[in-house]
Every structure is written in structure tokens, then in C-alpha cells.
Amino acid sequence: MKKRRKILIIVFMFIFIVAIAAYMFINNIKSSGLVNYNEEVKIEGLKSEVTVYRDNFGVPHVFAENEEDLYKVTGYISAQDRMWQMDLLRRVTQGRLSEIFGEDMIKSDVILRSLRMAEKSEMVLEEISPEMLKALENFADGVNQYIEDYNDNLSFEFRILGYKPEKWKPIHSLNLIGYMAWNLETGWGTESIIYKVRNKVSEAKFKELLPDLSLQKTQVYPDFELNEILVDTNLISSIRKINKIAPPVFRASNNWVVAGKKSTTGMPIFANDMHLGLMVPGIWSQIHQHVEGKLDVTGVILPGQPFVIAGHNADISWGMTNVMLDGADFYIEKINPDNKNQYKYDGEWKDMEVRKELINVKGEEKPVEKEIRFTHRGPIINEFKEIENNSISMHWIGNERSNELRAVYMLNRAKNWTEFRDAVSSFKSVSQNIAYADTKGNIGIQCCAGIPERKAPGYLFFPGDTSLYDWNSFVPFDSLPYIYNPECGYVFSANNRTTGNDSPYYISEWFDLPNRANRIEQMLTAKDKLSIDDFKKMQNDQHSVLTDDMKPVILKYVKNMKKLTSDEQKAFDLLKNWDNVYSKDEVAPLIFEEYYIIFSKNIMKDEMGDTLYEEFLKMDLLTNYLTDKVIKNEGSVWCDDVNTKETETLEDIIQKSFKELIPEFKEKYSKNITETKWGDIHKLALIQPLGKVKMLDFAFNLNRTLRAGGSYHTVSPYSYDFKDPYIANHGASHRHIYNTANYDESYSIIPTGVSGIPASKHYCDQTDMYINGEYHPDYISLKKIKKNAVYIAFFSEK
């Protein structure tokens, strides 16, 4: 008995020691890379001392005496907070994810390499000014000095994955232009699916599928006139793998500005929130940069480059929304039957460029060799998209000559509308509607886009054996629409239609439906004068215009149904009495969203079949367009179920969908939908790339999941994938409200925090405030900054 007890004590002690050791080991790794924001840092090459004040959220305010020192320190502190994220984005732009994640990312790497982002960066590098190049070099130097200083204490991801970052180069910062351009391209996913659907359904149904832009009355530039102008499943799967690692930039967004006559301050108030994939760490990092008499700019930067992308300086404010430009065209090539590397072009066989790509794969001794073929337009992409019997090439705006780096560099320094327009004139690959306000009281918005002059709308697949459909020129910047000091006293955009039917050039079919835009305009016109608090409420508004439009049609036909069950009657009553606000504690939003998904399925699936429907559903914009058209027209040829002898009407589909609502939800979730609140199912999921491994998430507390209101069609968006409802993984990546009357009375918030290190108190310290619609001050005056500083770091010459 004593022996048995002794053995148990020894086993217990062993388990206890192992647990303590494991705890200490995990904590040691977890805190890897953690920095002391109050430390004195020695950096080689500094000309003068640089002071970095950080507030209670760790947001850095960098005060330097010259720009060389400013950008060197910016590089260093960016690496302090986000080194692994910077390296990850660099690998995305280079197509080198397989090196750290293994063979599962090979196809994603091939896709990324076909986009030739580094070649675009080389073009930009040839054109940038000596001042910009110097800024990039100093930024890179700061990053590299951090890597050297912390080579044995890098953040935990490097230790888990077993590698160390390479030196940073200026071209790595430039590669992020290609990254932004690729992520906002709308044609890449939609047009290959449109091509497949066109071969599957009748001409009448195909026409119904395309957007009817005449239904979209809300335009960014409603008065603009110009009389003369000078995917397949495997592909989407690979792109989704990339997006889970590096979230899309500028896919959707809101911005609006009111002039002094509509402001309680008597000066413009400015708002911007750019929507993208939400994860940890977030895509933006907050920063304030100051050089006396030369630069005073605050806002958000993309980790890996030194300039504020959206924000304000001492004179102007600016913020962006995606134009939704169709910036990719696809061509069906005629391949030489005797030589797969030749294609017919204007009557002659033309040689393709064939590249052998060697992809290093984690755990493999030898690199994997892949072949990528290019026509003069771009890569042959049907191997990625699995479109059979055709060779399809892609011409992509991201490979065109442009200089977004110049634009952002100059925006940081612009003082007025003229300098603002000069700065944004070099936006081309990254197409944006950029809103503007200044401290003189002026407001405006400018369309900045590389719009190809086409022979036909870009949603079609063109014949590739002719030069007729090639891009030969772009719409000049001076011909793009803008608004400056409008009589109404406000400007706004929300990825809605750019101009009216009389636009002289094709921009896109794939604008976002104007639900957010319509709601923004409702709120802008609801009062004669708007305040900062009004802007906060607007950015967090969860009232749905989509539901305003669709619900009456649904209720009209459901009301005619006979013998509703008690649960069906309860669902009907909840919808009927609901104010269409997507509160997380309401039941009705869940009923409507689930109904929308079932209704859309009943419209489309019978025509498309299981496989194509599953693929189509992944492009939620296409689903939304068709569903919106069916409701607004109160019928469509799509309403008929091709699997029955009868001809179904909209009423039939609405009633059928309502009958399926309760049992389908119960089958999926084992819950009664009439007793389940929206936030119990609809959750914001902030996932760290390594947090998908449950053991790592448990050990390092990487992920955050919170109940969420709103939806993809509300001004405050918490968007989810139709293939994975209702996990919200896309939304406002930041919220900024700027008071031009007094910039110290401005506000900001991001979904996560400035630090990407899990052990940092600033890892997700803004998350609860973000989900609750709260903000923190965004000070710019030294007096306020010093008063609210929690950390002060001094950087000096080593």
C-alpha cells in the first residue's frame, strides 16, 4: 500500500513538473518579441534623437527632426509590433508561402507568381523620386536593424514555424501596391463563374443574371457628364487560403464628408471606414508622424511600408473606398495544335513567354517545378480556374504602369484640393473614390482609377485571336469624375455605382448594391446639421435598407399562406414587427438572413445544379444581384423550378422558402430559429493565421470571437461568407472621424490592436471597444500627446 502511494506521489510530481515546464515554455514562446515601449533604443545612422510617445493603446506618435530619421524609426517600430505580419505579406507578394506552410500552399504560390507583382514594383522603382526612394531605404534600414537586434527574440510565429526573416528591401514595400491592386479586383472571381453559368442556362436567364444598373439610382457622382473621352472551385479555394493569411484590402468601404454649413462645428467633419477581411493582427497599424515644419500626418499604414494610406495631415483629410473597377479582362486563346506554347494573334502564331518557377516547399528537399505561360496580355489562367477545352489569358490592371507610392507620399504632404488631386492622379492599379476635406472649409471626392478604354463590356470573355479587344489606352485622369464643394453640403461613397447611364466609358458591372449608400444618404439628410456624435452613430448604424425593400414583398405573399404552424406564425410576427435594425440581441435579423439564403437557393440551384451553384454561391455579389432583381421586379424567369412540370411564380418561391425556414435551420443548428438571437449565431471571428490550429490557439490565446450585430448590407458591416454563415470575417478595418475645426477632437478605432504579439497588452485591446461602437481620441498636438502618453521611447545614434 505504501509502495503504491509512493508511486502515485512520484507520478503526480512528475506530471506537476511537466505541467510547470510546459507552462513556462509556452509563456516563454508566447512573449517572444515583446518589447519595452519605454526603452532607449540605439540605431545606427540617426542624425538626431527621435522621440516616440505611445498612448494607453500603444499607438505611436513619432517626433523626429528630419525625414530620414523619421522613416528609419518608423521601420524599427513597425517591425517591433508587426514583423511576422510584414514577412507574411512579403511572402504573399512573392508567392513564397509554401516555404513556411508546406505543400498545401503550392497552388496559391503559382497563382501569386503569375500576377508578377515584383515586376510591377520594378517599374515603380524606376520612376520614384530620390526623396521617396530615400524614405523606403531608411524604412528598410530600420526594419533590418530591428531584425538584427531581435534575431534571437523574434515573435512566436517565427519560432513555431522554424525560420527567421530575411533582410527587408525597398522593393518589398513596393510589392504591397500589387497586393492592394489584386485584392480589390472584382473581375477575377466573378467573370469565370459568369462564363460557366452562360454555358449552362438559357440566354433569357443569363441576361437576368447580369446587374440592371438602371435599378441603382444612388451614384457617387450623380451630375457627372462627359461628351468626349481622349473561377472555379480549386481557384477560389486557393485564393481563400491566401485571404485567410492576408486579408483583402479595399474590397468595400464607406466614406462621407459634410461641409461647415451642415456641421455643428461650422467646419467639415470627415468619416472613413475601409472594409476588408478581419483577422489578428488587423491589416492596418495606427501611427502619427511629425517633422517640425515639414510633416504632421496621422492615420493608418499598411505594415511593411512607411506612409499613411488614409488619414489627415495638418491641412487635409482623405479616405478611400473601392471604385469596384472591373480591372481584368479574359481572352479565349487559339492554341497552335502543334505547339501548346503558341497562340494565334491577328492571323499569326505568336510565341508565349514560358517561365519555369521553382517553389521551395517546407519539408521537401527539392523544389517543386511549375510552368506558367504568358501571352502579351498576361498569364494563361485556365489551369487555375479549371475551365475545360479553352486556354484563357488574363489582362490585369495590376500589371499596368502606375505609381500609387507617389500618390500616398504626396497625400501625406498635400495642403489643398489642387495638391490633393495632383497626388491622387497617379492612382491607377489601385482604383479608389477618395474623399477630401481641408481646414479651409472645402470638401470633395475624386474618382481615381485606371479605366481601360474597351470595345465592349469587360464582363464578357473576348476572342483572343484578334487585337480588337486589347487595351490600347486608359481614360485620362482629367476625364474622371469628381465633386468639389457641392451645393448640398456633403459627399459620400460606399462602393455604389460611380456614374449614370450616360457615362461615356465602362467602369464595371459589379458595383456593390446601394444599400449602404442609400442608408448613408438617409442619415446625411436627416438633420440640417450633423455633429461628431452623429458621425459615430452613422458609422455604427445597423439599420438595413435591403430589408426595408425586401421584407414587404415577402410578408405580402407569406400573409396569403394557409395554416401556418405556431412557429411559422411567430416567425411571421417577429418579422412584421421588427424595425429592420440588426441588433445582436434580436431574433428577427436571424430569421430574415436565414430566409434570404434559402430563398436565393430556391431561385438558383435548380438551374445551376449542385456543383455550379456551390461555386456561384462563393461569389456573394452575384447572388445578391440576382436576388435583388427578382424582388424589385417582383418576378423573374429564374422563379420557375425546372424540375417540376408547373411554372412557379415569385409567390410560390417565397412561400416554399418560408415553409423550409424553420426545419432547415433546426437541422443545421439544432435550435428553434424563433428563439435564437442574431448574436448567438452571428459572431465576429478574429482569427490569427496560426490560430486555426486549435492547440496553438489554446496555448497562446490567439483568436477572438464575439457576438455581433449588423450584416453585409448595413453601414456598420459584419459580413459573412454565404458558404459559412454566419461567421463574420469581413467588415470595417478601422473607423476614423476627423474634426477639421480642431483635429485634437478626432476619433479612431481598429478591430484589434497595434501589436501582433499575443503576450502584449495591446494585442487586441481595442476589440471590445470596436464591437461596442466606441472610439479613442486621435490626438495630433504635442501638448495633448505628452499629457496622454503612457510610454516614451528615445531613439538615438548607436
Side-chain angles (χ1 to χ4, degrees), residues 254-269:
N254 303 317
N255 59 22
W256 63 84
V257 193
V258 296
K261 68 180 181 180
K262 276 193 68 70
S263 161
T264 57
T265 70
M267 289 290 288
I269 304 176

Side-chain angles (χ1 to χ4, degrees), residues 561-565 568 595 654-664:
M561 294 174 66
K562 298 177 181 178
K563 297 181 180 178
L564 293 178
T565 67
E568 288 170 346
Y595 180 85
I654 285 177
Q655 293 178 350
K656 169 181 165 63
S657 302
F658 197 76
K659 275 292 180 187
E660 294 172 353
L661 172 66
I662 292 169
E664 281 203 17

Side-chain angles (χ1 to χ4, degrees), residues 743-781:
Y743 273 138
D744 276 337
E745 295 177 0
S746 297
Y747 296 89
S748 174
I749 197 75
I750 58 175
T752 54
V754 298
S755 178
I757 300 171
S760 170
K761 65 181 291 187
H762 303 300
Y763 179 68
C764 276
D765 61 332
Q766 299 184 49
T767 303
D768 287 341
M769 293 176 65
Y770 170 84
I771 201 75
N772 292 325
E774 300 170 358
Y775 299 75
H776 60 76
D778 194 357
Y779 298 126
I780 196 170
S781 70

Side-chain angles (χ1 to χ4, degrees), residues 9-283:
I9 291 173
I10 292 172
V11 170
F12 174 79
M13 290 299 296
F14 176 76
I15 293 172
F16 179 75
I17 292 169
V18 169
I20 292 294
Y23 176 79
M24 293 175 66
F25 176 73
I26 288 171
N27 270 313
N28 176 261
I29 295 178
K30 186 176 181 179
S31 59
S32 297
L34 201 60
V35 300
N36 177 5
Y37 289 151
N38 283 316
E39 68 181 345
E40 292 188 16
V41 182
K42 300 292 185 179
I43 293 184
E44 290 183 0
L46 284 187
K47 297 177 180 178
S48 303
E49 186 176 81
V50 177
T51 305
V52 178
Y53 303 93
R54 291 183 184 254
D55 62 19
N56 59 326
F57 293 98
V59 176
H61 301 260
V62 186
F63 280 74
E65 294 184 16
N66 58 78
E67 293 187 32
E68 292 88 342
D69 290 350
L70 176 81
Y71 291 122
K72 202 180 294 281
V73 171
T74 295
Y76 197 96
I77 65 173
S78 294
Q80 281 182 329
D81 289 332
R82 304 284 187 94
M83 187 64 241
W84 187 69
Q85 182 186 25
M86 290 165 58
D87 184 70
L88 194 61
L89 292 178
R90 169 168 57 178
R91 289 180 176 275
V92 167
T93 65
Q94 295 173 325
R96 295 177 56 199
L97 296 171
S98 301
E99 293 179 16
I100 60 173
F101 292 119
E103 62 181 3
D104 192 45
M105 298 302 295
I106 291 174
K107 191 160 190 174
S108 299
D109 279 344
V110 175
I111 291 171
L112 290 166
R113 293 189 188 197
S114 76
L115 298 175
R116 299 183 289 188
M117 296 183 196
E119 290 181 35
K120 168 62 175 284
S121 299
E122 292 287 358
M123 285 193 287
V124 177
L125 204 58
E126 293 173 3
E127 296 183 351
I128 62 174
S129 68
E131 294 80 12
M132 285 183 260
L133 179 59
K134 191 68 175 175
L136 293 180
E137 290 172 341
N138 279 301
F139 177 83
D141 184 42
V143 174
N144 292 329
Q145 291 200 50
Y146 166 84
I147 293 172
E148 184 177 340
D149 290 348
Y150 282 81
N151 192 49
D152 296 324
N153 188 30
L154 294 164
S155 61
F156 88 103
E157 297 96 338
F158 291 107
R159 296 180 68 175
I160 293 292
L161 295 172
Y163 80 103
K164 291 186 177 181
E166 299 165 1
K167 280 194 170 184
W168 196 266
K169 299 177 181 178
I171 197 168
H172 298 151
S173 297
L174 289 169
N175 285 352
L176 295 174
I177 297 174
Y179 169 65
M180 292 189 288
W182 174 68
N183 272 303
L184 59 81
E185 167 50 39
T186 60
W188 174 261
T190 55
E191 287 167 18
S192 63
I193 295 176
I194 286 290
Y195 174 77
K196 293 182 181 181
V197 174
R198 188 175 193 180
N199 292 330
K200 179 83 173 178
V201 304
S202 68
E203 185 67 20
K205 288 184 177 177
F206 178 72
K207 287 181 179 178
E208 283 280 296
L209 180 65
L210 296 176
D212 183 355
L213 296 183
S214 67
L215 296 175
Q216 299 186 32
K217 306 299 184 185
T218 306
Q219 297 147 24
V220 181
Y221 308 94
D223 300 321
F224 174 70
E225 293 182 4
L226 189 64
N227 297 321
E228 184 178 350
I229 60 172
L230 295 175
V231 116
D232 97 287
T233 304
N234 284 340
L235 168 81
I236 295 172
S237 174
S238 298
I239 290 176
R240 282 168 179 245
K241 289 175 185 176
I242 301 167
N243 288 346
K244 286 179 180 179
I245 291 168
V249 180
F250 300 138
R251 290 299 293 271
S253 301
N254 303 317
N255 59 22
W256 63 84
V257 193
V258 296
K261 68 180 181 180
K262 276 193 68 70
S263 161
T264 57
T265 70
M267 289 290 288
I269 304 176
F270 180 99
N272 182 215
D273 54 293
M274 297 180 285
H275 306 167
L276 51 82
L278 299 177
M279 62 186 301
V280 186
I283 192 63

